[in-house]
Amino acid sequence: MYLGIFDKNAADATETMNNQTVSYDKDTNLNVNQHKPSGDFFTGWTTNSDGSGDTYEDKVSMKNLAEVDENITFYA
């Protein structure tokens, strides 16, 4: 198992999201975005806070995005 961590990536964004526990070697959809950006709209998740990482759509199916017992952070 590994942990998906959801970062709102904006100081003024509201709402929070729980981390998502994911079983290794099993297709799992990302949780629906709950963050509410102020004045912006949500365009998807990225693995780097500056937007330069891998990108994922909301609720996308994922499999083995991190090693067992490690974490991956998704930035809004």
Side-chain angles (χ1 to χ4, degrees), residues 42-61:
F42 179 74
T43 59
W45 299 104
T46 183
T47 54
N48 287 331
S49 61
D50 65 2
S52 66
D54 296 329
T55 58
Y56 301 94
E57 294 178 14
D58 204 20
K59 303 181 286 182
V60 70
S61 179

Side-chain angles (χ1 to χ4, degrees), residues 16-52:
T16 59
M17 292 183 63
N18 293 325
N19 296 334
Q20 182 175 4
T21 302
V22 181
S23 295
Y24 199 74
D25 275 341
K26 182 179 177 190
D27 289 322
T28 305
N29 289 353
L30 282 174
N31 289 339
V32 175
N33 176 44
Q34 299 295 314
H35 298 304
K36 306 291 184 218
S38 175
D40 291 323
F41 57 93
F42 179 74
T43 59
W45 299 104
T46 183
T47 54
N48 287 331
S49 61
D50 65 2
S52 66

